[in-house]
Amino acid sequence: ADGLGHGYQVQYRVSGEDPAVLRRFGDLLIKLMMANPNLASINLDWGDPSKIIRLVIDQDRAMALGVSTQSVAQFMQTALSGGTITYLREKNRLIEIQLRGPPDERQRLSLLDNTAIPRGDGTNIPLNQIAHMEYGYEDGILWRRNREPTMTARADIRGSLQPAQVVAQLEPQVEALRQQLPPDYRIEIGGTVEESAKGQNSVNAGMPLFLLVVLTTLM
């Protein structure tokens, strides 16, 4: 997805190719932001990692037993999520009729090992004869900025200080993190501080022309 969180006054973007590296430095940014009493509502825009299950197929064994990776994937998709097999027309509406496994098998992952996988000759084999499951985590949302994976640590201001003042307080710690970044990774300031800098740069860019016009007019 392309897009980053808006509305938070203090933001730090960590950019690079490896999501695991971004997660590590994003968590470090969150810790140092939480230690600052002037920040509230601190969070990462990728959210918490979600639990996932990977089905790892033994390709040689599956081939020997007459089962393809594609057929296993399609069968498991149908069994767990359901697959449309036909439609029922009711007046001017088409209603999908889906085929899927019974609720008990879909909710109890321990039963997946014994799921009967169809073979080309019409017989079935248990899933655990050709595959095993691995458990892990993955990021639910991966934001990109200019096509590059980017994680943003975000917070609002608590109290009367301005965002630039809080950023100045954090700068030594953030700079220390920058020194630990691998090559081709970077931490950038976002939020209202970045927008303010853009506005100031725009003013500075137009200032020479403005002065020239004023001097010409006076002359």
Side-chain angles (χ1 to χ4, degrees):
D2 284 299
L4 295 169
H6 297 284
Y8 289 88
Q9 296 168 291
V10 176
Q11 298 183 22
Y12 291 96
R13 295 190 299 268
V14 190
S15 300
E17 287 302 320
D18 188 348
V21 175
L22 302 187
R23 170 69 63 178
R24 179 160 61 90
F25 281 92
D27 288 340
L28 291 173
L29 280 169
I30 288 293
K31 288 181 180 179
L32 68 86
M33 293 169 76
M34 291 181 68
N36 189 298
N38 299 303
L39 294 177
S41 303
I42 303 166
N43 65 88
L44 289 171
D45 63 347
W46 284 15
D48 295 327
S50 302
K51 292 182 179 179
I52 62 168
I53 297 176
R54 295 186 180 91
L55 188 64
V56 182
I57 299 175
D58 185 329
Q59 300 291 343
D60 294 335
R61 188 169 180 79
M63 186 178 299
L65 292 173
V67 178
S68 68
T69 300
Q70 183 178 6
S71 65
V72 173
Q74 290 176 342
F75 184 82
M76 296 304 296
Q77 173 70 23
T78 300
L80 296 175
S81 302
T84 302
I85 56 175
T86 187
Y87 293 87
L88 173 66
R89 180 177 292 278
E90 185 177 291
K91 295 183 179 180
N92 62 342
R93 294 189 305 162
L94 283 178
I95 302 173
E96 290 184 352
I97 297 178
Q98 289 196 333
L99 173 68
R100 61 181 177 180
D104 189 53
E105 292 184 7
R106 288 185 283 114
Q107 296 171 7
R108 294 177 57 190
L109 298 179
S110 60
L111 299 178
L112 286 181
D113 278 348
N114 295 317
T115 301
I117 304 297
R119 301 168 63 186
D121 60 4
T123 61
N124 299 320
I125 58 170
L127 179 63
N128 58 17
Q129 287 194 17
I130 59 171
H132 68 276
M133 290 181 291
E134 293 181 350
Y135 299 86
Y137 293 87
E138 72 176 7
D139 293 299
I141 298 177
L142 194 157
W143 293 110
R144 292 178 180 271
R145 184 181 178 88
N146 298 327
R147 302 182 181 180
E148 188 175 36
T150 300
M151 175 179 285
T152 305
R154 314 173 296 184
D156 284 325
I157 296 294
R158 176 193 286 132
S160 59
L161 290 183
Q162 294 299 310
Q165 293 174 295
V166 179
V167 167
Q169 292 176 349
L170 295 173
E171 183 56 28
Q173 297 163 287
V174 174
E175 183 59 32
L177 283 184
R178 288 194 182 100
Q179 300 305 315
Q180 301 175 35
L181 287 169
D184 300 324
Y185 288 78
R186 62 188 181 279
I187 295 176
E188 299 174 321
I189 298 173
T192 56
V193 176
E194 179 185 41
E195 295 303 317
S196 177
K198 288 180 180 178
Q200 186 61 49
N201 290 337
S202 177
V203 171
N204 293 341
M207 187 60 68
L209 178 60
F210 173 75
L211 292 176
L212 177 62
V213 171
V214 171
L215 290 175
T216 302
T217 303
L218 290 176
M219 290 173 64

